Every structure is written in structure tokens, then in C-alpha cells.
Amino acid sequence: MKRFNTLLAVAALLATPLGALAHEGTDHKKTGPVHKEQKDWGIAGDAKSVQRTIELTMGDTMRFTPNHIEVKQGEVVKLVIKNTGQMFHEMVIGTKAELDEHAALMLKFPNMEHDEPYMAHVKPGTQGTIIWNFNRAGDFDFACLVAGHYQAGMVGKITVAGAPKK
């Protein structure tokens, strides 16, 4: 099965238009104030409010480790995402529907620039961060939306447990 997944990832990369690699050279350093917009999966958090740090790795096997995260509703989490591969990767949090739509756009427009507080764009051998307030309970997703990576299975799940009843 692992060999099949690796072959699938290689096939997806070979099918990726060369223009998709142009996204890699884009500098996505977050500057200025963070745009806070309520999303179904939460809202941007403040560094001073971080309650927990979770480290993830992603690499050229087109997988995240861990690929499932559990948090509590209202928890502000700092996600530290390390790219251990040789290719550019990213982590984008959202609903499955939003990620599906965004991934389709990335296939059509691989040079599309995007930078939101729920995204981290990570060059090979570096790390990125997302600080997020998971203020909505539910099951959400995260993925690498670089053209071909999502299609190769570079996805994960986030479970946000609801606040306890008082």
C-alpha cells in the first residue's frame, strides 16, 4: 500500500503543470496586522493567547504527520509546520468543501497567490506557523493545495470538541 501511495504521489507530480512550481518562489511572509475573519473552522488567534503548540511535519511522501489533530472548542493553538521534503508545501485549514474548491482553482491557476491566517506556505527545509482560535466545534480538514499534492492525498483532519455543558 505504501508503494502504491508513493507511486500515486509521483504520478500526480509528473502530471502537475510546470507553472505550478512557480508558486514555490512566491514569498508568503505575513506582514502587517492579521486579517481576522470568522470562518466555519474558527478565527485567527493572537500569539499572546496561545494555549498549546502542536508540531506537524510534511514531506514529499505527500503526507502530514500527524494527520489528525484534536483540540477543544475555544482553544488557541499554534501549529508549527515543518517541511522535511525537497518540494514546496503548504498547510491550509478549512472545510472539505472549501478545500475541494480551492484545490480545483489551484489546478487551473497554479500561480495564484493566496495568504490567509489559516494558511502556512513552507519552503523545503523550513517551517511555518498558524495561530488559530478553534472557536467552533466540529470536524474540519487541512491540506496541501499545491497543484497535485491534494489529489495525491496530502490531507488531514481536525476534530474540535465542543465546550462542556455547564
Side-chain angles (χ1 to χ4, degrees):
M1 184 68 174
K2 184 176 179 180
R3 185 169 190 270
F4 175 77
N5 287 338
T6 302
L7 289 174
L8 183 63
V10 169
L13 289 174
L14 291 174
T16 302
L18 291 178
L21 300 177
H23 180 77
E24 177 180 345
T26 306
D27 188 4
H28 290 286
K29 291 186 180 174
K30 293 178 173 132
T31 58
V34 172
H35 176 69
K36 289 193 173 193
E37 177 184 355
Q38 181 64 55
K39 297 290 189 179
D40 290 342
W41 55 93
I43 192 166
D46 295 312
K48 64 182 182 284
S49 301
V50 170
Q51 296 164 286
R52 180 164 56 125
T53 298
I54 299 173
E55 292 188 3
L56 297 98
T57 59
M58 56 186 172
D60 300 342
T61 60
M62 302 298 146
R63 297 293 180 262
F64 289 94
T65 304
N67 66 357
H68 184 249
I69 300 169
E70 294 183 9
V71 298
K72 296 176 187 161
Q73 184 177 359
E75 190 173 16
V76 179
V77 176
K78 178 179 183 179
L79 301 170
V80 177
I81 307 102
K82 297 178 182 179
N83 183 349
T84 60
Q86 300 299 309
M87 293 183 277
F88 177 82
H89 293 290
E90 64 183 9
M91 179 177 174
V92 180
I93 303 171
T95 62
K96 173 98 169 74
E98 294 227 4
L99 293 176
D100 285 346
E101 183 179 325
H102 192 154
L105 280 173
M106 290 299 294
L107 283 174
K108 287 182 183 179
F109 307 103
N111 296 323
M112 180 176 70
E113 291 188 29
H114 53 271
D115 193 20
E116 297 291 340
Y118 51 88
M119 302 176 175
H121 311 283
V122 190
K123 294 177 182 176
T126 66
Q127 67 183 32
T129 60
I130 298 173
I131 298 176
W132 198 252
N133 181 347
F134 291 95
N135 64 0
R136 302 261 172 104
D139 292 316
F140 305 104
D141 295 270
F142 60 91
C144 178
L145 300 181
V146 171
H149 295 200
Y150 184 69
Q151 295 76 9
M154 198 166 180
V155 298
K157 293 278 186 194
I158 300 172
T159 301
V160 182
K165 307 256 186 214
K166 292 183 180 184

